[in-house]
Amino acid sequence: MLIKKAADIPSSEITPKSLYLDRRKFISGATIFGAALATGACEMARPSQTVEANTKLSTVKSSFSTDEKLTPLKDISNYNNFYEFSVDKYGPADLARNFKTSPWKVQVTGAVAQKKTYDLDELMKLASLEERIYRMRCVEGWSMVIPWVGFPLSKLIDQVQPTSKAKYVAFTSVYRPSEMPGQRSNVLDWPYTEGLRMDEAMNPLTLLTFGMYGETLPNQDGAPVRIVVPWKYGFKGIKSIVKIDFVGHEPATAWNKAAPNEYGFYSNVNPNVDHPRWSQATERRIGEFLKRKTLMFNGYGDQVASLYSGMDLKKYF
Ligand code: MTE
C-alpha cells in the first residue's frame, strides 16, 4: 500500500462523474429499481432479478452519520486500493470498467443454522438501505468522508442464526483473474480475505454496503457488495464479497498474511500505535492541505471502545 496524496492527482486524471458512469458496462438484466424510486423512503427497492450499475437506491437517513464535508465522488472513485485490478491507486477506475457484477451470489456458510447462497437482489432486500456518512481512515495516512449506502451486517447475521461455535466472521472476495488483471500476479495471496470478531461484526456501525452517493457502488469501490468498518483502517473493508463464513478461529486476512508485522488482525484506527514505517498520529483529509490529528477509533470510540476493554491495543494492533 504505497502512499500518494490526492493533491498529486492531476485534474486531467480525474474523470467527471458523468463520463465515468457512462463508461461502466454491466451485463444486461432487467432494470429493477425504477418503480421503487417512486415509493417512500422506508419502502426500499425490491429488485426481482439482477442489480444494475449506476442505479439509484432508495435510502433512509441514519443517526450514525457524521455531518462533516463529503469527499467528492470523483476523488472517492478515482483513488482506490483494489489490488485485484492494480497496485496503482489511479488504475482500478479504468481497469474495473468491464468487471461483471451481475449476476452475483454471496454464499453464507459455516457455523450458522441457516446456510444460504443469496442472489444480490435477495441480499439487498433483507433490510432497509440506509445512507451512512462515515469518516474513513486509510492506514497510509489519508482520509475521506463517504456517504455509503447499506444496512448493518447484523441484519444478515440475525437471519442466518450463528451457532455458539461462531466466534469470527471470515469474508472472501471474488477470484476472477480473467477480469481482474492484478490477480495474475502474486502481489497478494488470492483471493483477498478479511475477518471480524463476532461482536465487531454485530456492531451497528458495521455496514454491508451496496452503494455510495445514492447509487450502486462503482466497480472500483467494491461492487456489488463490500464491508465498511469505519473505526478500522480502510483495508478491513473487503470488496466484491462472494463468501461470508462463520468460524471458530481468527481467520487469516490478506494484509496480515502479506506483512504480519505491519498489519494486524484488529487494525483499529489508533494514533498511539505507529505503523512500523510511519506515524499514525495524523492524517490528510483528501482535498485539504493541512494534516489533522487522527482520532482514536477514528472518532467512533463511544460506539466501539467497549469492544476492546482490557485488551492491550499495542499487542492486538
Ligand atoms: N478489498 C479487496 N478485495 N481488494 C483490495 O485490494 N483494498 C483494501 C480495501 N478492500 C482491497 C479491498 C484497502 S487497502 C483499502 S484502503 C480499501 O479497500 C479502499 O477502498 P476504496 O478504494 O473504496 O476507498
Side-chain angles (χ1 to χ4, degrees):
M1 289 187 271
L2 303 169
I3 307 179
K4 263 186 186 173
K5 302 181 198 80
D8 297 334
I9 307 176
S11 55
S12 59
E13 287 187 33
I14 297 176
T15 315
K17 182 187 175 198
S18 54
L19 243 187
Y20 101 82
L21 291 178
D22 281 353
R23 282 199 268 133
R24 298 174 61 216
K25 296 269 186 287
F26 278 65
I27 65 167
S28 60
T31 302
I32 46 171
F33 284 116
L37 289 178
T39 65
C42 292
E43 280 291 317
M44 61 164 292
R46 301 282 179 213
S48 58
Q49 288 193 6
T50 56
V51 177
E52 297 240 337
N54 316 343
T55 305
K56 291 239 178 300
L57 299 168
S58 186
T59 61
V60 292
K61 300 265 177 239
S62 165
S63 56
F64 289 108
S65 288
T66 171
D67 56 8
E68 287 164 78
K69 186 167 170 260
L70 299 182
T71 303
L73 177 60
K74 67 178 181 356
D75 294 335
I76 301 171
S77 58
N78 286 279
Y79 190 69
N80 300 100
N81 275 323
F82 203 168
Y83 274 44
E84 283 86 338
F85 292 101
S86 173
V87 297
D88 175 358
K89 284 186 230 320
Y90 306 100
D94 226 34
L95 291 164
R97 236 186 308 159
N98 297 321
F99 176 51
K100 291 187 179 56
T101 59
S102 175
W104 192 271
K105 289 185 189 304
V106 179
Q107 182 194 7
V108 182
T109 189
V112 289
Q114 309 288 335
K115 291 192 179 77
K116 185 170 162 72
T117 297
Y118 291 85
D119 287 328
L120 186 70
D121 56 351
E122 207 182 347
L123 195 59
M124 289 176 86
K125 278 195 285 191
L126 284 186
S128 294
L129 294 176
E130 297 176 27
E131 181 181 74
R132 291 274 187 107
I133 304 172
Y134 281 162
R135 288 180 292 277
M136 303 299 297
R137 167 66 155 83
C138 180
V139 75
E140 296 163 344
W142 45 271
S143 63
M144 298 189 187
V145 177
I146 304 183
W148 300 108
V149 176
F151 55 71
L153 178 64
S154 63
K155 304 269 183 192
L156 169 65
I157 298 179
D158 286 344
Q159 206 195 49
V160 296
Q161 298 168 32
T163 68
S164 58
K165 291 193 176 130
K167 307 287 184 216
Y168 293 86
V169 189
F171 304 92
T172 307
S173 294
V174 70
Y175 179 67
R176 210 185 283 162
S178 59
E179 290 176 31
M180 302 176 120
Q183 287 183 333
R184 292 174 221 150
S185 83
N186 58 4
V187 59
L188 287 176
D189 185 14
W190 308 114
Y192 192 102
T193 55
E194 254 306 334
L196 293 171
R197 216 172 55 192
M198 191 58 104
D199 56 351
E200 296 178 321
M202 286 297 289
N203 187 277
L205 286 176
T206 303
L207 207 64
L208 190 63
T209 304
F210 303 93
M212 65 164 64
Y213 265 104
E215 293 184 357
T216 43
L217 283 169
N219 286 354
Q220 60 271 31
D221 286 284
V225 57
R226 68 176 290 172
I227 291 292
V228 170
V229 198
W231 71 94
K232 292 180 181 273
Y233 293 117
F235 64 89
K236 293 295 278 187
I238 181 170
K239 298 175 169 182
S240 306
I241 297 169
V242 292
K243 187 170 164 193
I244 301 178
D245 194 7
F246 290 77
V247 296
H249 52 86
E250 187 179 288
T253 67
W255 283 104
N256 183 249
K257 278 197 281 181
N261 61 324
E262 300 194 3
Y263 307 110
F265 176 80
Y266 281 93
S267 311
N268 290 320
V269 174
N270 190 340
N272 308 316
V273 177
D274 290 345
H275 183 280
R277 288 183 282 139
W278 58 80
S279 161
Q280 293 290 19
T282 60
E283 67 197 58
R284 190 186 305 280
R285 182 68 51 88
I286 296 288
E288 292 179 4
F289 179 70
L290 294 175
K291 286 190 170 184
R292 53 171 74 205
K293 280 191 173 165
T294 287
L295 302 173
M296 187 68 199
F297 298 118
N298 205 22
Y300 294 99
D302 285 352
Q303 292 96 331
V304 301
S306 61
L307 297 175
Y308 311 103
S309 57
M311 285 176 73
D312 176 352
L313 297 182
K314 286 203 160 68
K315 184 172 172 203
Y316 297 102
F317 64 97

